[in-house]
Amino acid sequence: MPNEHTSGTKIGVLILHRVRDSAISPRFGHEALKVCGGIPTVSRILHDVAEPLPQWLAKLDFDAVLLDSSMLGYRWAPKPMFERVREEVAVFAGRRALKIALPMDEFNRSSILDEWLTQLNVDLVYTTSFEYRHLLLPKCCARSEVSAGWTSVIDPELATLNGRRLAERPIDVGYRVKRLPYNMGRLGQLKAAIGDRFAAHLAGSELVTDIAVGDGYRINGDAWIRFLHNCKYILGSPSGSSVHDPVGEIDRRVREFLHANPDATFEAVERDCFPGLDGQQVFSVLSPRILEAAMAGCCQVLVRGDYGGLLEADEHYIPVEQDFSNLDHVLDRLADHELSKTMADRCRERLLAEPSLRAEVRDRQFYEWICERRRPPESDRSWDQIRAALQRYGGTTTAALRRRQAIDRASFYFHRLQGRLPAPFGAALLRVHRLFQAMRGL
């Protein structure tokens, strides 16, 4: 319920993001653009940081600036791109607006992220690795509020969709995933490994499978939700990394090693690039895919893991051992559709019962936090300015939005083509594409 002291308070919020065209990006990423969108007393403006920051936007007097994970992901972009974004958003560091950060993958370049958020004078950090907050974000812990957060929340629209009965779905076992780089450690390799092992184990069986591993086979946007609603069982594994890479040095070593040894195994890369580091810390998080599959009514076949402390093996999902030693037993269980439906229902109900995973709860918490802590306005025109900007720009600052989406689509389909070409041709095309992007400042 709304706080009686904040209910009805008008606030203005700026959301800085880099969420691309919905047709070619993960659907869960667009949930961040809806933060507080259902609260009528909140006026929001969205700015895609891939575009230059307009001068008029920098002058508006916001109550809060929300730094989305997609924007904070620029810390592992090429240095010129990262420096441009960091320089542009630095204008908000000295403003009275409260700064809220929603990072993800904090284990990747954590020191750079920690320094960046500190320079921006961030007031609140929602970290998906709360257990390791003092290791990953020591400066933020010393000066900011740091709270536990999720990689995503449940999309209200998906929670209300009614899919077909499990037994009527045409695909028995489905999966789509990209291969994560070796610097994500053994935990990161599980995502591809479960797909590879099931595809090999089910070859020649009577089950209808749609399992594909690799960048060229991704399904995004609403097409991904349709895919889930066609699957009885969905594979999955814990997300995150078992290697801490504070400044990206391990990533650099891995790339250089693989450039010289393109066929190297994970074990060879580990020995050369990060010996003894894998598994010292395990940054395991609940993937948005788990939420999406649960809302679609799929029975999930998951590598045994923690899953945010919410899901239990044999209660909410069919467990696969990390060494894949129980695959035959797992396959036997796939024949029992009634038991699988019961398990899928329990998983869905368990996630829906967690208040912190509900979008409306998250939005109300953000709203009340901002209202209770907001600072006196720097001008008496802030609300009118933001409302005028909303009317003029429709809530988004990207006048060239359609051009950006066209570029995004072209880039996406290029990478799909490049991934299916023979290695020498694909590598040459990728170099040309990257040169084109660099010339356009993308």
Side-chain angles (χ1 to χ4, degrees):
M1 294 296 291
N3 185 309
E4 62 177 345
H5 300 295
T6 62
S7 180
T9 301
K10 296 180 179 180
I11 63 173
V13 177
L14 171 65
I15 299 177
L16 299 177
H17 71 94
R18 178 59 184 109
V19 177
R20 307 194 301 171
D21 185 348
S22 61
I24 62 172
S25 59
R27 196 180 195 281
F28 74 85
H30 291 260
E31 186 59 35
L33 304 188
K34 303 176 184 177
V35 172
C36 294
I39 301 178
T41 52
V42 177
S43 287
R44 309 174 319 128
I45 291 182
L46 314 178
H47 175 62
D48 184 344
V49 293
E51 294 289 334
L53 185 70
Q55 290 187 359
W56 63 264
L57 178 66
K59 295 177 181 178
L60 292 184
D61 188 10
F62 292 98
D63 294 295
V65 176
L66 190 146
L67 313 173
D68 181 50
S69 61
S70 57
M71 172 262 189
L72 295 173
Y74 265 90
R75 68 186 183 275
W76 52 74
K79 188 173 181 179
M81 297 172 63
F82 172 52
E83 292 299 336
R84 177 192 67 79
V85 172
R86 183 161 67 172
E87 181 179 352
E88 287 191 344
V89 301
V91 68
F92 297 107
R95 298 293 175 81
R96 68 105 182 181
L98 296 163
K99 270 75 70 176
I100 303 173
L102 304 175
M104 285 177 58
D105 298 340
E106 294 92 325
F107 49 79
N108 193 333
R109 292 166 172 77
S110 61
S111 293
I112 296 174
L113 174 65
D114 193 32
E115 182 70 27
W116 190 12
L117 297 183
T118 302
Q119 290 173 349
L120 285 171
N121 295 319
V122 167
D123 300 280
L124 173 64
V125 180
Y126 268 73
T127 175
T128 59
S129 298
F130 187 74
E131 177 185 357
Y132 293 102
R133 61 192 181 281
H134 294 291
L135 170 68
L136 301 176
L137 304 169
K139 293 181 179 179
C140 286
C141 287
R143 69 166 307 278
S144 311
E145 291 186 50
V146 180
S147 299
W150 302 102
T151 57
S152 182
V153 293
I154 295 172
D155 186 332
E157 180 183 346
L158 300 186
T160 59
L161 290 178
N162 294 318
R164 66 179 78 181
R165 294 176 60 250
L166 208 65
E168 298 173 352
R169 300 186 180 194
I171 301 171
D172 290 306
V173 183
Y175 194 48
R176 286 290 190 281
V177 74
K178 65 180 181 180
R179 296 189 186 277
L180 295 182
Y182 288 157
N183 56 287
M184 303 286 276
R186 284 180 173 79
L187 181 67
Q189 307 317 302
L190 283 177
K191 283 185 174 293
I194 187 174
D196 291 336
R197 294 297 292 267
F198 266 83
H201 211 76
L202 293 173
S205 75
E206 296 182 355
L207 292 176
V208 178
T209 64
D210 193 341
I211 301 171
V213 179
D215 256 6
Y217 303 99
R218 290 184 299 173
I219 305 175
N220 292 305
D222 290 337
W224 168 246
I225 303 304
R226 291 194 294 271
F227 176 74
L228 290 176
H229 278 272
N230 282 326
C231 295
K232 297 183 180 75
Y233 299 92
I234 283 288
L235 305 179
S237 69
S239 288
S241 174
S242 51
V243 173
H244 182 204
D245 193 1
V247 296
E249 178 62 20
I250 295 175
D251 180 31
R252 183 190 64 78
R253 291 179 197 165
V254 169
R255 290 176 184 273
E256 291 179 354
F257 186 82
L258 288 175
H259 181 75
N261 308 275
D263 297 323
T265 63
F266 172 82
E267 290 72 20
V269 172
E270 180 191 15
R271 284 195 301 269
D272 188 88
C273 302
F274 51 97
L277 296 182
D278 186 34
Q280 287 190 358
Q281 296 93 20
V282 178
F283 309 99
S284 179
V285 298
L286 182 70
S287 168
R289 286 167 167 252
I290 302 296
L291 305 182
E292 293 166 342
M295 294 307 105
C298 304
C299 182
Q300 302 192 60
V301 181
L302 308 176
V303 175
R304 190 184 294 273
D306 177 69
Y307 298 102
L310 299 176
L311 304 184
E312 297 182 15
D314 295 311
E315 177 74 13
H316 304 111
Y317 67 91
I318 298 174
V320 179
E321 302 302 332
Q322 291 200 10
D323 61 0
F324 302 104
S325 58
N326 67 330
L327 285 190
D328 287 331
H329 175 64
V330 169
L331 297 184
D332 289 341
R333 299 183 66 175
L334 302 189
D336 191 340
H337 292 163
E338 287 303 317
L339 180 61
S340 299
K341 181 184 182 305
T342 300
M343 187 175 294
D345 290 342
R346 284 198 298 258
C347 179
R348 189 175 191 275
E349 291 166 3
R350 175 66 187 93
L351 295 175
L352 285 172
E354 174 55 44
S356 60
L357 282 173
R358 303 301 294 263
E360 59 272 22
V361 173
R362 173 205 62 186
D363 290 354
R364 179 55 59 181
Q365 289 175 340
F366 278 146
Y367 174 69
E368 293 185 352
W369 186 90
I370 294 168
C371 289
E372 292 170 359
R373 292 165 177 78
R374 68 178 186 153
R375 302 173 179 118
E378 295 171 349
S379 73
D380 58 1
R381 298 182 297 117
S382 58
W383 180 256
D384 291 336
Q385 284 180 320
I386 294 170
R387 296 295 290 183
L390 282 170
Q391 293 176 2
R392 182 178 179 186
Y393 296 97
T396 161
T397 66
T398 45
L401 180 60
R402 291 184 179 178
R403 177 180 66 84
R404 280 295 323 172
Q405 291 183 345
I407 293 173
D408 287 343
R409 283 177 179 267
S411 176
F412 172 74
Y413 288 116
F414 173 87
H415 281 292
R416 290 192 65 175
L417 173 63
Q418 182 263 336
R420 296 179 181 181
L421 290 174
F425 296 102
L429 279 175
L430 185 58
R431 285 194 293 272
V432 172
H433 179 65
R434 286 176 176 168
L435 177 61
F436 173 74
Q437 285 186 312
M439 292 172 62
R440 293 185 62 94
L442 303 177

